[in-house]
Amino acid sequence: MFSRREFLQFGAVAAALPVFSNGITRAAAQQKLTQSDLLKFDSKGQVTLLHLTDIHAQLKPVYFRPPSENFGVGAFEGIPPHLVGEAYLKHFGIEPGSAYAYAHTMVDYVNLAMAYGKLGGLDRTATLVKAIRAERGDDKVLFLDGGDTWQGSFTSVKTNGQDVVDCMKLLKPDAMVGHWEFTFGEDRVKEIIEGMGYPFLASNIFDAEWDEPVFESTAMFEKGGVKVAVIGQAMPYTPISNPKWMFPKWSFGIRPEVLQANVDKARADGAEIVVLLSHNGFDVDQKLPTVVSGIDVILTGHTHDAVPRAIEIGTTLVLSSGSHGKYLGRIDLDVKDGKVAGYSSTLIPVFADVIEPDAEMAAKIAEVRSPFEADATRVLGKTEALLYRRGNFNGTWDDLICEALIEERDAEISLSPGFRFGTTLLPGQDITVDDLYTHTGISYPAVYRLEFSGAQIKEIMEDVCDNLFNKDPFFQQGGDMVRVGGMGYTCAPKEEIGNRISDLTFLKTGEPIDPARNYVVAGWASVNEGVEGPAIYDVMESYISKKKVINMPGNQTVKVTGM
């Protein structure tokens, strides 16, 4: 593990470099930052946990701008993961303008992105995993996949997720959990699991008719002479956030009482360490140790949060390892007398320009992409401004989608779901088919065109807002606020449901939204079965191709109060 001095020295590598030209900046950054630096770690004890989560089918390196807003409410206000920008840097002692500042915040994002380049790429992750296995020995390392792995790219859409599955097999995970995986449908999920060669765990999914577990809850391992139980937790609200008709026989939920029973059983079966491989989301998993005892480590995913080291909730360690392949999480455990006596933790940023690609994985990525490469890299247009998604409210990619929905579908207002997946484009970059599908590549892409009353629109907004800002994280479903085009509004996250959304304004006229009037609304990713309309990626391809040059300004129509 880095000492504080080493951490700050490493982080400060390019603090002063953005003033130089792009070429000099990147060259200087690469000279200072090495693969050995990224792997440097205070190895400890008998067990190493490696955590990769929410890659959303991104096989190649990406730009991904961290969020500009990540508001917490209630007991979670102002603490990780609800810190962004300068507050995040200050809390974790990260030097502004540094490699870690770029990896973790949106501060000076474009300059630092040009200096340090893309992050991620499964071939780079493979290099890190193999290096750590070689250092520690396979008999000490557990590599765990936190889910949201198969979905989110052009080639995933074209292969029904097989491209990612084939690549992940080379990493040899010890177990995985799921969320967006279920949107491939029950039959496809079962088909993939049968051929994976490693466990798909879900303590909290039951057969809706027979109330029996659908998947194994727990996998037992012996690592470094220590018996380790890994319990899986799928995203609890999958049938609400995604189309239930795709997996109608399965019932989900947090089910803390079931989880406690599985923890107790694992202990009775001899487990010295219990690891929860979770897709609950960070805040849910910060509350969970207060109601479920006996969990030593929670490796959490779903909300795409990234923290540079594990946090302690009582005696439980919680680590969230980001998204899109940007990071590889690591926790080493020193176990004595059946308890964690010490630990080291880190979140390794996968700097693509620094890490040598693993040849085996690079060849497999090229192989699975080969039939689609020409179409995937086809240029649709160019962006003049930064295109990004993440943040509790509209990002410029979402504004582009909302604008296209209104124009292409002849609507007055548009709604786009608050998905957290989707990569970033820097000013001047081409927009390719690959880029588009990182934001739109789902299995229920139909664009609807319907009429909603002003009152219904307000009700939708309040419902989504409560999902995001309910003070009890057990009632939060993850994701961000629904994105809106053609309408402005004010949001007060600390208020209660029914009172958070106000000042709804129809931007075309500047008049307040009339609760009694019907508005033509275009949107996509409805969870309802039988939705008719063109696919969102086809609508967006048409729009971007006609526009050719995209220049989305920052959104000034959503105002947040009380934070």
Side-chain angles (χ1 to χ4, degrees), residues 381-536:
K382 184 184 291 289
T383 181
E384 290 186 344
L386 184 71
L387 280 180
Y388 67 93
R389 167 165 279 171
R390 265 313 314 276
N392 288 152
F393 300 93
N394 286 48
T396 49
W397 250 113
D398 295 298
D399 292 334
L400 175 60
I401 291 173
C402 286
E403 181 180 275
L405 287 172
I406 289 174
E407 293 196 24
E408 292 287 309
R409 299 295 285 159
D410 190 25
E412 295 175 292
I413 291 171
S414 55
L415 300 176
S416 186
F419 296 148
R420 293 190 173 187
F421 55 80
T423 58
T424 297
L425 288 174
L426 304 184
Q429 278 195 283
D430 289 335
I431 305 171
T432 67
V433 170
D434 260 340
D435 299 321
L436 172 60
Y437 274 70
T438 70
H439 291 266
T440 60
I442 67 173
S443 58
Y444 50 105
V447 174
Y448 60 81
R449 184 180 184 275
L450 300 169
E451 289 192 2
F452 293 110
S453 70
Q456 287 176 309
I457 294 171
K458 166 84 156 56
E459 184 178 359
I460 291 169
M461 301 285 286
E462 288 281 1
D463 184 65
V464 176
C465 200
D466 190 62
N467 154 56
L468 183 58
F469 296 119
N470 194 299
K471 292 181 177 64
D472 184 345
F474 278 16
F475 292 97
Q476 296 174 8
Q477 296 163 25
D480 284 314
M481 189 61 187
V482 61
R483 296 9 187 152
V484 180
M487 186 181 79
Y489 68 95
T490 296
C491 178
K494 291 183 181 179
E495 294 294 330
E496 299 299 323
I497 188 169
N499 295 313
R500 292 191 180 99
I501 304 298
S502 63
D503 301 328
L504 285 80
T505 304
F506 186 37
L507 297 180
K508 187 175 181 179
T509 64
E511 297 176 352
I513 292 290
D514 183 349
R517 186 199 145 179
N518 281 355
Y519 296 84
V520 178
V521 178
W524 64 291
S526 169
V527 299
N528 296 319
E529 191 171 6
V531 176
E532 296 182 355
I536 183 61

Side-chain angles (χ1 to χ4, degrees), residues 166 189 479 560:
D166 290 347
V189 170
V560 180

Side-chain angles (χ1 to χ4, degrees), residues 200-467:
F200 187 97
L201 303 176
S203 172
N204 58 329
I205 301 179
F206 280 63
D207 182 281
E209 181 177 0
W210 299 104
D211 199 33
E212 297 175 345
V214 174
F215 302 99
E216 292 296 319
S217 67
T218 308
M220 299 289 287
F221 303 90
E222 186 169 313
K223 293 293 177 178
V226 176
K227 198 166 186 180
V228 181
V230 177
I231 302 175
Q233 187 88 343
M235 203 288 248
Y237 294 108
T238 300
I240 299 172
S241 297
N242 307 98
K244 182 177 174 59
W245 56 268
M246 291 183 164
F247 37 89
K249 299 177 184 177
W250 299 343
S251 172
F252 294 65
I254 297 175
R255 302 183 190 269
E257 71 289 347
V258 173
L259 181 57
Q260 184 67 71
N262 285 323
V263 171
D264 294 344
K265 183 178 186 305
R267 295 288 186 185
D269 290 343
E272 298 169 85
I273 296 297
V274 174
V275 176
L276 180 65
L277 180 60
S278 170
H279 209 87
N280 285 330
F282 204 146
D283 283 357
V284 174
D285 283 329
Q286 289 196 82
K287 178 179 176 179
L288 202 61
T290 69
V291 297
V292 176
S293 62
I295 301 173
D296 296 293
V297 178
I298 300 178
L299 300 174
T300 187
H302 177 53
T303 44
H304 295 194
D305 300 303
V307 290
R309 55 183 177 268
I311 64 172
E312 299 178 14
I313 307 293
T315 60
T316 302
L317 301 174
V318 182
L319 182 66
S320 184
S321 301
S323 66
H324 294 80
K326 280 184 63 174
Y327 315 93
L328 178 66
R330 176 175 177 176
I331 299 179
D332 279 15
L333 300 174
D334 183 21
V335 181
K336 295 178 180 177
D337 300 324
K339 295 181 180 180
V340 176
Y343 74 94
S344 297
S345 66
T346 190
L347 196 60
I348 305 171
V350 185
F351 286 103
D353 289 347
V354 174
I355 299 168
E356 184 72 23
D358 175 72
E360 180 187 32
M361 183 64 79
K364 177 58 72 173
I365 292 171
E367 175 190 323
V368 299
R369 283 181 57 88
S370 177
F372 315 102
E373 189 70 23
D375 206 17
T377 56
R378 183 163 47 87
V379 175
L380 305 177
K382 184 184 291 289
T383 181
E384 290 186 344
L386 184 71
L387 280 180
Y388 67 93
R389 167 165 279 171
R390 265 313 314 276
N392 288 152
F393 300 93
N394 286 48
T396 49
W397 250 113
D398 295 298
D399 292 334
L400 175 60
I401 291 173
C402 286
E403 181 180 275
L405 287 172
I406 289 174
E407 293 196 24
E408 292 287 309
R409 299 295 285 159
D410 190 25
E412 295 175 292
I413 291 171
S414 55
L415 300 176
S416 186
F419 296 148
R420 293 190 173 187
F421 55 80
T423 58
T424 297
L425 288 174
L426 304 184
Q429 278 195 283
D430 289 335
I431 305 171
T432 67
V433 170
D434 260 340
D435 299 321
L436 172 60
Y437 274 70
T438 70
H439 291 266
T440 60
I442 67 173
S443 58
Y444 50 105
V447 174
Y448 60 81
R449 184 180 184 275
L450 300 169
E451 289 192 2
F452 293 110
S453 70
Q456 287 176 309
I457 294 171
K458 166 84 156 56
E459 184 178 359
I460 291 169
M461 301 285 286
E462 288 281 1
D463 184 65
V464 176
C465 200
D466 190 62
N467 154 56

